[in-house]
Amino acid sequence: MKKSLRFKTVDILLIALMILPIAFGVVVRVLTKPAAEGVQIGGALIFARFKLPLQDLFFSEATLNSLLVLVSLTAMALYMTHGIRAGVKCRRHLIAEWIVESTDNLVKNNMGPFFRAFSPFICAILGYSALSSLSSLVGLFPPTSDFSTVFGWALLVFVLITYYKLKGGTWNYVKGYFEPIPFFAPLNVIGEIATPISMSFRHYGNILSGSVISALIASALGGLTRAVFGEVCRVPVLQIGLPAVLSIYFDVFSGLLQAFIFAMLTMLNISGGFPEELYKKRMKKKAKRRA
Amino acid sequence: MELAIGIILGCCALGAGIAMIAGIGPGIGEGQAVAKACEAIGRQPEAKSEVTSTMIMGCAIAETTGIYALVVAILLIFVAPNIFVNVLKTALGK
């Protein structure tokens, strides 16, 4: 199949859209990072803040980076499915098919047939979380090491959990809090609230601990170079090598694992809280009333 | 004033260290989980992938308390001292 000029142009545009946001993030990082000596561990830089009645709205580095990752991910999805057609096998289309198929299987195995339509959502969470954590490889501030980002996702998942619990009837949902005995009500409420908090803290804590340990080791190696070579060699030679090896674990492995675990917990919580029998009973009643 | 700030910094560091005692629990728990998973794989090598993914899920959930302790420790070291020192300064009117 000969590719037309238009097809190629769109391809190049999409590739540019994939890479440019990340490059833009790196440029912003280089321009705004305050130069300082020693160990630097702090939150995201805040670019702008808007006054709101309850709490100021921050536009921080994490917000910017997560938006950039989002643009890049969208471009990646468009690139992989660009010009997709039945029968024609192309490498990127095969990759796209593999991604769709494996998430479909994951969702089917863990959530059951009722939640088949959840596969795009789960895939989006997986890709977004993984790419956010991996963005620290190019020196960006990973959005997942800011608590606000991850808590936002967890809150979204909490809303979904409650929505699917309410499908069994509002009365049944309220009654669920007073089981097995009414005395347990406060404990049940705490358990309900703990779900998003524990989900977000797990993701955030893992990524944050990785970046803290990496920063500590890098600065320690810099100090060691200064102690060993003194004024002879100003370049921190000992910083070469070890931080890169550690980053394979802390950035790549930990980030991908946490993305998988977050998606997995989303699936299990949503499908676990859904009262399937009550829902079926309700649907039958509704159908009877209509008939 | 210097003494008060010193006590604040020292107590924050001590608190962070004590909070990380919670790391013992997840360590033992995850070790047991992995040991059992290894046994299971030894008995049924064909179920390796399923056992591994279940084990990783279980480990992640067992890790939660340790992660809470870590977050508390990091907050105590990097965030809390500033806040406490500022509170002290405003209380003393400086």
Side-chain angles (χ1 to χ4, degrees):
Chain A
M1 190 182 76
K2 190 101 167 65
K3 282 172 187 163
S4 65
L5 189 68
R6 194 166 154 241
F7 188 88
K8 276 181 188 165
T9 328
V10 173
D11 256 13
I12 291 166
L13 246 165
L14 285 174
I15 291 175
L17 209 59
M18 226 153 74
I19 297 166
L20 281 182
I22 304 293
F24 177 70
V26 173
V27 169
V28 168
R29 171 83 169 171
V30 169
L31 286 182
T32 57
K33 193 183 176 191
E37 279 287 305
V39 190
Q40 302 170 50
I41 293 155
L45 287 174
I46 292 165
F47 294 135
R49 57 175 78 197
F50 308 98
K51 287 265 180 241
L52 284 184
L54 262 181
Q55 159 113 40
D56 288 0
L57 182 68
F58 296 124
F59 186 82
S60 68
E61 211 178 352
T63 327
L64 177 74
N65 284 355
S66 62
L67 287 176
L68 293 178
V69 166
L70 212 55
V71 171
S72 175
L73 203 63
T74 312
M76 202 183 285
L78 285 176
Y79 172 74
M80 278 202 287
T81 55
H82 185 213
I84 197 163
R85 245 183 303 158
V88 183
K89 295 291 181 202
C90 176
R91 202 181 300 144
R92 56 184 166 178
H93 298 165
L94 286 176
I95 293 174
E97 271 174 29
W98 174 75
I99 291 173
V100 170
E101 234 166 62
S102 49
T103 34
D104 266 351
N105 276 333
L106 197 70
V107 170
K108 216 189 288 164
N109 288 338
N110 289 306
M111 294 177 90
F114 180 79
F115 289 102
R116 248 188 356 248
F118 256 82
S119 132
F121 175 68
I122 298 296
C123 193
I125 277 193
L126 256 174
Y128 194 8
S129 171
L131 207 67
S132 296
S133 302
L134 289 182
S135 73
S136 67
L137 281 180
V138 290
L140 287 179
F141 179 86
T144 37
S145 76
D146 190 6
F147 185 58
S148 323
T149 316
V150 192
F151 191 66
W153 303 348
L155 220 55
L156 178 68
V157 173
F158 178 68
V159 169
L160 276 173
I161 293 170
T162 313
Y163 175 75
Y164 277 95
K165 273 190 180 169
L166 281 171
K167 285 221 162 187
T170 317
W171 171 239
N172 285 319
Y173 175 73
V174 175
K175 213 169 70 181
Y177 282 112
F178 296 99
E179 275 170 359
I181 46 171
F183 171 70
F184 271 50
L187 280 180
N188 283 333
V189 172
I190 290 173
E192 196 72 14
I193 296 170
T195 313
I197 294 179
S198 87
M199 270 174 86
S200 51
F201 261 132
R202 186 176 299 122
H203 199 312
Y204 154 78
N206 270 297
I207 307 293
L208 180 76
S209 68
S211 50
V212 167
I213 293 171
S214 305
L216 284 179
I217 285 177
S219 69
L221 287 173
L224 190 67
T225 324
R226 218 170 299 136
V228 173
F229 296 108
E231 294 297 311
V232 182
C233 178
R234 286 296 182 86
V235 184
V237 186
L238 292 178
Q239 265 186 9
I240 301 167
L242 187 60
V245 175
L246 286 174
S247 125
I248 291 176
Y249 177 78
F250 287 125
D251 290 333
V252 180
F253 179 72
S254 183
L256 293 179
L257 189 68
Q258 288 312 313
F260 177 70
I261 284 166
F262 194 87
M264 202 77 180
L265 284 176
T266 306
M267 289 191 280
L268 294 180
N269 279 328
I270 291 174
S271 65
F274 176 63
E276 202 169 355
E277 292 186 358
L278 284 172
Y279 176 71
K280 274 180 187 162
K281 242 186 235 169
R282 259 185 90 209
M283 286 297 110
K284 258 182 203 168
K285 251 188 210 168
K286 262 191 186 171
K288 239 182 226 172
R289 218 180 295 149
R290 235 175 257 156
Chain B
M1 185 71 183
E2 280 80 25
L3 182 68
I5 290 178
I7 289 175
I8 287 176
L9 294 182
C11 286
C12 283
L14 268 181
I18 294 169
M20 282 315 291
I21 293 176
I24 295 174
I28 296 173
E30 280 180 32
Q32 283 209 344
V34 176
K36 292 282 176 193
C38 287
E39 273 177 28
I41 292 173
R43 232 179 293 126
Q44 282 180 304
E46 68 275 8
K48 188 183 171 191
S49 63
E50 245 168 76
V51 170
T52 312
S53 64
T54 314
M55 183 199 75
I56 287 175
M57 272 305 294
C59 279
I61 291 171
E63 213 176 37
T64 311
T65 48
I67 292 294
Y68 288 165
L70 180 80
V71 170
V72 167
I74 286 175
L75 289 181
L76 270 175
I77 290 178
F78 294 111
V79 181
N82 278 334
I83 296 172
F84 289 150
V85 169
N86 282 341
V87 166
L88 183 75
K89 277 180 181 168
T90 46
L92 291 177
K94 282 185 185 173

